[in-house]
Amino acid sequence: MVARSAGRSPVWLVAVWGATRLLLLLLVLKVLVFPGPDVTSDVSVIYRDWYEVLRTGAFPSDDVTWQYPPAAAFAILSPALLPFLEYATAFFVLACAVDAAVLALLWRAGRGSGRSPRGAWVWVVGVPLLGPTVYARYDLMVTAVAVAALLAAGRHPRVAGALAAVGALLKVWPALVLVGMEGRRPWVAAAVGGAGLAGLFAVTMPGAFAFLTFQRERGVEVESLGALVFHVARHFGWEGGVLLNYGSMEFLGPHVDTVSTVSMGLSAAAFGWLLLWRVRAARSPGPRSPRSRSPESPPRPPQPQPQPQPQPQPPESSEPRSPESQSPGSRSSRSPSSRSRFAAHTAADAAFVAVLLFTVTSRVISPQYLVWLVGLAAVCRCFRASRMRVPVALVLAASLVTVLEFPFLFADVVASTPLGIALLAVRNGLLVAAALVGARALWRDTVRRGPAGGRPGTSGPGISRAPSADSPATAG
């Protein structure tokens, strides 16, 4: 009873959030010292230098560490909103405020039928697992935009698309939240909004897209999945080494280009799988049929109840109405094979899997990347019907290991000690497992088997499992 009350009451949620965020603020403000290298120097030195350049109306295109899309300028310039505070302090305070805003969104999204407060708890617990790094990078602000886009997808698809476009111009990856959104409206809004904002930056601020060249020339970062090859190879006479390159610690030397190419190939394969999933899921029959219950009815009744309904309801009979008795434009006039398998939780599940796939195949897996996954995991757990329970748990475990490898034991990682290699192997292994389990769950939840895989005596594309408890996403 106590556990259930803690899960539902915002008092416990706010109390735990307040205690953990106070600790994070004390760490980034250096009242308390976290072991390892100083993670706040990115804000107090690098971000501050960029801030001075951006204030002049130009991008720091001569600085190779500037590897971000043009809307990142909003995050770097945001401390100007608090002119009475020193730059780094203002940045940390704003990061905490954005953190609170995400919590409010998740708590509101977790209320109601078919929803769960577990999403808010994932955020409250997951963010501090990453240590002070999470407040010392602007990735938390990007994650907030992606979370807002996913939560808006059901009722406000155009707003969701516009937010996805803003997020993509902040740090590219939020474009992936579109992959599971149904209908054309979010995609059109994203394309129009993104093109307009990008064009505005290109016209008004020189060097808006210089980051594309810098990203192309990056090597293999020491925390990435591909870097494990060189960590082990160093113990067998590999002649390369680790150097600060384009703002991060990267491997340079023989065969680095080969591993980098393989990583990009795996990313291309991940994109291909997502495209295949999107096509197959969009063509698969939807979760509702003439035999299925309406979203408003009680969850999984033991048998259909033949009672007269005062309001229109899906027919209880196993016989679908004839096409002549249905209006061509109505939602019920669609045949089961014309409805997609997208439900309210599908957009969140698909975005989570997409970002997981591109994270594990990337040439760079910086610690702050985990806050992306924690944010998307939290949105997934707002839906009781989400199939991402196990992948979310794996990501939270990976977050805990991440704070051990950076900043706590980062020297061991850079030196490729057995302890450093073990930490990376465990963290990256957890992320790979989460990606594979999540991809399999997403496919099984949304893509029906073809006629050959259907049950005997069925027609069309086969029979899928029982429909989801949540309502279908709004179609565009």
Side-chain angles (χ1 to χ4, degrees):
M1 182 66 68
V2 175
R4 180 177 298 181
S5 176
R8 294 179 178 177
S9 173
V11 175
W12 283 101
L13 193 73
V14 172
V16 176
W17 182 88
T20 53
R21 275 39 176 198
L22 175 61
L23 178 60
L24 288 178
L25 284 173
L26 291 176
L27 289 170
V28 293
L29 293 173
K30 299 182 181 179
V31 177
L32 300 176
V33 179
F34 197 86
D38 180 16
V39 300
T40 65
S41 61
D42 279 36
V43 176
S44 58
V45 178
I46 299 176
Y47 285 13
R48 173 74 192 195
D49 290 344
W50 291 343
Y51 173 82
E52 296 298 338
V53 176
L54 290 168
R55 290 177 62 188
T56 67
F59 286 94
S61 54
D62 295 332
D63 186 349
V64 295
T65 61
W66 176 262
Q67 300 169 19
Y68 308 111
F74 294 146
I76 304 302
L77 292 170
S78 62
L81 296 173
L82 303 175
F84 49 88
L85 293 177
E86 187 268 333
Y87 180 87
T89 303
F91 186 91
F92 302 143
V93 170
L94 288 172
C96 186
V98 171
D99 184 355
V102 174
L103 176 62
L105 288 173
L106 292 169
W107 172 251
R108 185 175 184 274
R111 304 177 67 183
S113 176
R115 302 301 181 95
S116 171
R118 292 185 179 92
W121 277 107
V122 167
W123 181 256
V124 168
V125 174
V127 168
L129 287 179
L130 296 170
T133 306
V134 75
Y135 274 11
R137 305 290 187 272
Y138 84 91
D139 294 78
L140 192 145
M141 302 174 183
V142 184
T143 302
V145 176
V147 167
L150 284 174
L151 294 178
R155 294 184 177 182
H156 307 287
R158 291 189 179 91
V159 173
L163 288 171
V166 172
L169 287 171
L170 277 166
K171 208 165 187 180
V172 180
W173 70 265
L176 293 172
V177 303
L178 291 167
V179 71
M181 293 186 188
E182 191 174 16
R184 296 180 180 178
R185 286 183 288 178
W187 292 81
V188 172
V192 173
L197 187 57
L200 181 63
F201 275 116
V203 170
T204 59
M205 296 183 69
F209 296 96
F211 77 98
L212 294 172
T213 300
F214 301 150
Q215 282 286 349
R216 187 172 60 247
E217 295 174 354
R218 293 194 71 165
V220 176
E221 195 256 347
V222 295
E223 297 164 279
S224 66
L225 183 63
L228 283 169
V229 174
F230 301 112
H231 282 295
V232 175
R234 294 176 84 178
H235 291 272
F236 294 92
W238 181 64
E239 297 178 354
V242 176
L243 293 174
L244 182 63
N245 189 49
Y246 288 94
S248 64
M249 302 302 292
E250 298 181 354
F251 279 112
L252 299 175
H255 309 298
V256 170
D257 288 343
T258 300
V259 172
S260 180
T261 301
V262 170
S263 295
M264 290 188 287
L266 290 174
S267 295
F271 178 80
W273 183 88
L274 287 169
L275 182 61
L276 176 63
W277 168 80
R278 173 80 192 194
V279 172
R280 291 290 303 275
R283 292 180 178 178
S284 294
R288 292 193 296 172
S289 68
R291 294 179 63 105
S292 66
R293 61 184 175 87
S294 68
E296 293 78 11
S297 61
R300 297 191 181 183
Q303 60 184 9
Q305 300 180 4
Q307 76 281 6
Q309 299 285 343
Q311 66 272 13
Q313 294 287 339
E316 297 290 336
S317 170
S318 60
E319 301 259 341
R321 292 188 293 174
S322 63
E324 291 80 4
S325 64
Q326 302 171 2
S327 60
S330 66
R331 194 179 283 269
S332 62
S333 67
R334 302 179 189 175
S335 66
S337 61
S338 69
R339 301 188 193 103
S340 78
R341 290 281 291 163
F342 291 4
H345 67 276
T346 302
D349 286 3
F352 182 52
V353 170
V355 176
L356 267 171
L357 290 172
F358 278 93
T359 298
V360 298
T361 59
S362 174
R363 295 173 294 172
V364 180
I365 306 182
S366 296
Q368 61 268 26
Y369 290 12
L370 273 292
V371 75
W372 312 348
L373 299 173
V374 169
L376 299 182
V379 178
C380 291
R381 296 299 277 127
C382 285
F383 298 94
R384 296 187 185 277
S386 171
R387 303 299 188 261
M388 297 296 130
R389 292 173 178 82
V390 173
V392 167
L394 292 172
V395 165
L396 291 178
S399 299
L400 179 59
V401 180
T402 296
V403 79
L404 296 177
E405 64 92 1
F406 184 89
F408 188 46
L409 295 170
F410 192 58
D412 289 271
V413 173
V414 173
S416 301
T417 67
L419 177 58
I421 295 174
L423 285 172
L424 278 183
V426 171
R427 194 279 302 271
N428 292 344
L430 288 168
L431 291 179
V432 170
L436 295 177
V437 173
R440 181 176 182 269
L442 178 66
W443 187 276
R444 288 169 62 90
D445 185 43
T446 54
V447 179
R448 291 190 182 187
R449 296 177 181 178
R455 296 177 183 175
T458 62
S459 60
I463 297 294
S464 69
R465 296 178 297 167
S468 302
D470 54 357
S471 59
T474 303

